[in-house]
Amino acid sequence: MTLLDKLMRPRVIGFGSLAVASLSLVAFWQAGASAIDNAPRDDGTYLETVVKSFEECSRLCEADSGTCRGAQSEQPDITKPLIICRLNNGFGANPLFPSVPPTPLNVNIAVADLNAYRRTHGLAPVVLSERLSKASQVHAEDLARHGNISHTGSDGSGHGDRVQRQGYYFSIAAENVATGQKSWERVFKAWQDSPGHNENLLRDDVTEFGIALVYEPKTAYQTYWAMVVAAPLEDAPNIRYMMPASPNSVKTH
């Protein structure tokens, strides 16, 4: 197989997007004989309605997970089964459900944890790659801009495209993405608990690793994670990547 054949036939692996613990759906339920407050609110409340139970209010919030960050329920008259339900988006001058920034990502801890995990399964360690981390950063920023979770970029790119745009040519590349987790420990555990994502963590044919975290508090998911593991083509150090005319094609020369 020629070098060009190898470049045109890399293995690109991605498993389903992982939106684990993507929202902090915390319901604050208050029961008491208090009067309904009709004053203007600036605490993130965007919908106030009457429901018949605290659970119904929580379900309304979950059904509107793209906007609702939490729900407040109040029973003004405990002798009547009527609940004031307020859905909250976490914004405003005094948000009832304020956004909590994630723990900053320490890539050295991440690669050490990954290698310790791989070692327990008899696998060789991976080394941190700036190019793979840059490809991960580009995708995480793209996901944050659009507030979604996907292996496909807004330009139609796959992770193989994004990796090669960084000048990294590979024999295999696999990607994990996730949203909502507020620390490396939580996203790492979520990936371990997901069979497809865990398979990527424990691949025996990869040697390098990159990861990125982007925090965008004005979106529903807030945190956006992207990770790539790969093995480089050792006989292709001088190949230059050309932006493809089609997002699904790769040209080299």
Side-chain angles (χ1 to χ4, degrees):
M1 181 182 293
T2 67
L3 176 58
L4 181 58
D5 290 333
K6 291 181 179 179
L7 289 169
M8 296 301 289
R9 297 180 60 187
R11 288 182 290 162
V12 181
I13 300 171
F15 288 92
S17 304
L18 183 66
V20 178
S22 57
L23 294 175
S24 298
L25 294 176
V26 181
F28 172 72
W29 296 337
Q30 176 181 337
S34 61
I36 299 176
D37 182 7
N38 292 318
R41 296 176 178 275
D42 194 15
D43 63 359
T45 297
Y46 68 92
L47 176 66
E48 182 172 305
T49 187
V50 176
V51 297
K52 294 183 179 180
S53 69
F54 299 136
E55 292 76 15
E56 183 180 353
C57 183
S58 182
R59 287 195 296 269
L60 287 176
C61 185
E62 292 174 355
D64 192 22
S65 60
T67 301
C68 188
R69 190 168 294 168
Q72 180 189 44
S73 300
E74 180 181 356
Q75 188 174 7
D77 186 343
I78 61 175
T79 66
K80 298 178 181 179
L82 296 178
I83 309 294
I84 305 300
C85 175
R86 301 185 181 97
L87 303 188
N88 194 285
N89 59 23
F91 303 137
N94 301 290
L96 186 62
F97 298 91
S99 176
V100 178
T103 302
L105 173 63
N106 185 317
V107 294
N108 294 321
I109 291 177
V111 73
D113 287 348
L114 176 57
N115 282 332
Y117 183 52
R118 289 173 61 84
R119 187 162 55 248
T120 63
H121 289 78
L123 298 172
V126 293
V127 297
L128 190 65
S129 164
E130 291 186 7
R131 291 184 178 184
L132 293 182
S133 289
K134 178 61 178 176
S136 299
Q137 182 74 25
V138 167
H139 190 47
E141 290 176 351
D142 187 41
L143 295 178
R145 277 194 300 272
H146 295 86
N148 67 348
I149 179 170
S150 175
H151 286 292
T152 304
S154 61
D155 61 353
S157 64
H159 61 278
D161 299 309
R162 295 186 292 271
V163 167
Q164 292 191 93
R165 287 171 186 172
Q166 302 304 318
Y168 187 109
Y169 295 92
F170 56 87
S171 58
I172 184 170
E175 178 183 74
N176 285 351
V177 294
T179 60
Q181 298 82 3
K182 292 297 182 75
S183 70
W184 156 251
E185 290 77 14
R186 290 187 178 183
V187 76
F188 188 39
K189 182 63 165 60
W191 283 332
Q192 288 174 299
D193 291 342
S194 170
H197 298 86
N198 189 57
E199 183 176 334
N200 283 343
L201 298 176
L202 297 177
R203 296 200 66 86
D204 62 3
D205 51 3
V206 298
T207 58
E208 300 187 356
F209 163 78
I211 190 168
L213 162 65
V214 172
Y215 174 53
E216 178 44 74
K218 293 184 179 180
T219 62
Y221 295 127
Q222 299 186 32
T223 59
Y224 300 82
W225 299 82
M227 182 209 84
V228 177
V229 288
L233 276 178
E234 296 180 357
D235 52 353
N238 299 313
I239 298 296
R240 182 166 66 88
Y241 180 76
M242 296 177 62
M243 184 68 71
S246 167
N248 297 318
S249 65
V250 176
K251 296 181 180 179
T252 60
H253 77 276

